[in-house]
Amino acid sequence: GYKRSGSVDLLLSLPLPPLVFIIGKWMSGAFVLLAMLLLTFPMVVTIAFLGQPDWGVVVSGYFGATLLLCSLYAVAILAAAICKEKVSAFLLGIAMVLGLLVCDIERSLLIFLPDQLEQLLSYSYVLSPRYWFREIVSGDVTLASMIYFILLSLVSLTIASLQFAALRQPTYGNTLAI
């Protein structure tokens, strides 16, 4: 939608690398998402008033939710960079996020698959943000879980910046020689 409105012309005329634009868009969206997550804090205060919560699990839950929101927003930015239309970007973003979430297949469902596919999919859980999020929320914040979310964000934002850089490339279409 940026191309049709003409707002991309200003962005493309600036002498900054495309990664700066993508990181800026991601940071601003992540800030809004984290502000929304912060609005859930009164629930924590209410739970603390009513009982004795495990503060380690509460803090790790907020940390995991922060990592999950920021990384899935990076995947959504990648979907928006790939597609030209807003509706198709929305649908591709949903498909990409659901595809990542479905990688965490329950082991009981694997018995219906052929043996070779069952062996391959038995390790697919490491691709799912659901698996790493559950690990963090349980209070077990590991380096592997943080690296997963950081890599998911970095890979998505890098590919999105490469897609955005492709807009800067001149198109040699049908030109008329005068």
Side-chain angles (χ1 to χ4, degrees), residues 3 18 26 32 47 51 112 125-126 139 152 154 160-161 168-169 173:
K3 232 178 188 178
W26 176 74
V32 170
I47 292 171
F112 298 113
Y125 65 91
V126 296
L152 180 62
L154 286 176
S161 70
R168 285 192 173 180
Q169 303 301 325

Side-chain angles (χ1 to χ4, degrees), residues 11-130:
L11 290 176
L12 294 176
S13 67
L14 296 174
L16 296 172
L19 188 60
V20 171
F21 297 117
I22 299 298
I23 296 285
K25 182 177 178 110
W26 176 74
M27 287 177 66
S28 65
F31 179 76
V32 170
L33 288 172
L34 295 180
M36 295 298 116
L37 185 62
L38 189 62
L39 291 176
T40 65
F41 194 71
M43 184 185 310
V44 174
V45 173
T46 304
I47 292 171
F49 179 73
L50 295 174
Q52 299 292 328
D54 183 2
W55 291 106
V57 173
V58 170
V59 170
S60 67
Y62 271 100
F63 180 68
T66 300
L67 289 175
L68 181 70
L69 284 172
C70 290
S71 62
L72 291 183
Y73 183 61
V75 171
I77 287 176
L78 172 61
I82 292 173
C83 297
K84 293 180 182 178
E85 297 293 325
K86 291 178 184 178
V87 174
S88 59
F90 174 74
L91 293 175
L92 180 63
I94 287 176
M96 290 169 75
V97 168
L98 287 177
L100 283 171
L101 292 175
V102 167
C103 287
D104 191 14
I105 297 174
E106 296 293 327
R107 299 222 185 258
S108 60
L109 296 176
L110 293 177
I111 61 171
F112 298 113
L113 299 174
D115 289 338
Q116 294 82 10
L117 194 56
E118 180 181 341
Q119 289 176 346
L120 178 68
L121 290 178
S122 66
Y123 297 107
S124 67
Y125 65 91
V126 296
L127 298 175
S128 177
R130 181 177 171 229

Side-chain angles (χ1 to χ4, degrees), residues 140-155:
D140 187 22
V141 180
T142 61
L143 184 61
S145 59
M146 291 189 298
I147 286 174
Y148 170 80
F149 286 112
I150 291 169
L151 278 178
L152 180 62
S153 299
L154 286 176
V155 167

